[in-house]
Amino acid sequence: MVALGEDESCPYEECMPDIFEVTVDDLKHLVSERAISGETMLLNMGPQHPSTHGVLRLLLELDGETVVNCIPDIGFLHTGVEKNMEAKTYQKAEVMTDRLDYLNTVGNNLAYSMAVEKLVGLDVPARAQGLRVILVELQRIASHLIWLGTAALDVAAMSTFLYCFREREDILDIFELVSGQRMMTTYIRPGGVWRDVPVEFEKAVRDFVKMMPKRVDQYEALLTRNPLFLDRTLGIGKISGEDALNLGMTGPGLRASGVNWDLRKARPYSGYEQYDFEVPTRTEGDVYARYLVRVQEMRESLRIIEQALNKLPMGPVRSNNRKYVPPPRSEIGVSMEALIHHFKLWTEGFNAPKGYIYSAVESPRGELGVYLESDGGPKPYRIHWRTPSFDNLQSLPLMAKGHLIADLVAIIGSIDIVLGDVDR
Amino acid sequence: MGLEQKLGEMGVVTTTLEQAVAWSRNYAMWPMLFGLACCAIEMMAAEASDYDMSRFGMELMRPSPRQSDLMIVAGRVSRKMATVLRRLYDQMPEPKWVIAMGDCASCGGVFNNYAIMQGVDEVVPVDVYVAGCPPRPEALIHGILTLQDKVVKKIKFAEKS
């Protein structure tokens, strides 16, 4: 086999004529006159860089080692998820949602399912709502663990990474227990959840909730008062609450700047109003404050999980509305009507009423919203994701200005962007 | 290329040396620290505590392509990323290997659309494909063992023919 590129007569450019690359020259209109005259230096960071958390490319304008300007170039992971979802029926489009923000797969499922439920007017049983909350909060902890591991790795704390991934495996084991998949669960479905949890679920979650607070203490012992970590984070990447709001920032980044805005409190969904939890806020607005907020959020999530598990009622986990929700497998063998519903739902899908809705949840990164428009057919006419990483990334140039290039790495880590979420 | 060419005329010593080189390459293969999408998280999990890829000599992820032997394409490759990916591959020194991790890198996966390359083998030659969306860390480790097998067997095959 002759591999591409080895054969000199067929360079890869000819094989793929429709791809293009943005060069520094194409972005020159975005930088100042000083950069063009050569007074400051233009430097390209990414898309392959260990601390851009994916395939982010930054065009940096540097004065010595100080960042004068920083221009994000996104789109290296553009997937066309929204367009693909428009070509699928409402149930089948859900598998695409997992792959948007791959650190918050269950949360994406929840946002999408809530939007479909709102569009067609579906009720969700109380047990399903409780299960949703437990899984979404577990996912929030898993996401923060990856953030903590990688952001600490960026400022050279290697061991935190290994500890965080150890605990993340416990959460993924719970996901695997309920859905059979580690990451892309598609467990939360419109009208409820896929099926009831196995009997081992409760013990697994209780063990985790019991074990985890000590582990969070361990992370804090490694970092919170570590002078090296403080030097790299205190006073770095400051943003005021007003600026953060103006730039559309949400999530822990906004709360670290003193704005107490959490959709779970402000616009409760899926039964969050029943649970007693605090929304951690800080006023400093720097990298260290964002770290503290996220660590505290892990503790609050554990509280929510424990309460939700204690309150979890028995009962059905899926809506009984057969026009929108497939019947359970056991009914198909005995009921002709169930068989017809199953067949109709998986071949044609259901027709949603004409109209549009917006529904949002609090993801680990901020407000994750779904705008869903229906033309009365079985497929979404238009679906748009309001993804938190995209809006949070806009604040990077403001935060990075005037800091050293080494601090930029800590700042990117502290925003907690997921490029699948930015580029969609 | 590498060592083989320089030692090409040395008869029976060469073959044993080649095997020794292949063996040492196997267990000191440095992957590039290069993640694209969801699979990159599972690749990190494979590197981290529970799965510990350093058992197979793979713990040293190099952020620079100039220092790496193996490219694990972990995730979907968009058209915008394809040129970058190819450039990274060209920058890697010989001998080099590529693992297409996951369905998206292997064949486009669930994304059959305008934005995503339908398999990374359109841009770079792939040695091992790992199935799964995303593959479990065990699956990636299996892919890596398959690749190590391939590196040794290629030498043995060349000896026979």
Side-chain angles (χ1 to χ4, degrees), chain A residues 74 76 79 162 176 182, chain B residues 42 49 78 80 113 122 136:
Chain A
I74 60 170
F76 286 100
T79 315
L162 298 171
E176 201 175 353
R182 279 160 58 90
Chain B
E42 288 296 64
S49 21
S78 70
K80 191 173 176 180
N113 62 24
E122 289 181 31
R136 301 175 58 90

Side-chain angles (χ1 to χ4, degrees), chain A residues 306-363:
Chain A
E306 200 167 15
Q307 291 172 48
L309 204 57
N310 289 337
K311 282 186 184 170
L312 192 65
M314 295 307 283
V317 291
R318 265 202 285 196
S319 162
N320 259 334
N321 192 335
R322 294 276 182 268
K323 295 290 169 216
Y324 299 115
V325 183
R329 200 83 203 160
S330 55
E331 265 183 41
I332 295 172
V334 288
S335 159
M336 189 65 198
E337 212 170 49
L339 186 66
I340 293 168
H341 279 136
H342 178 87
F343 182 73
K344 290 277 271 182
L345 279 172
W346 289 111
T347 50
E348 296 168 11
F350 54 79
N351 289 340
K354 209 171 170 179
Y356 58 88
I357 52 100
Y358 175 80
S359 153
V361 301
E362 183 76 22
S363 96

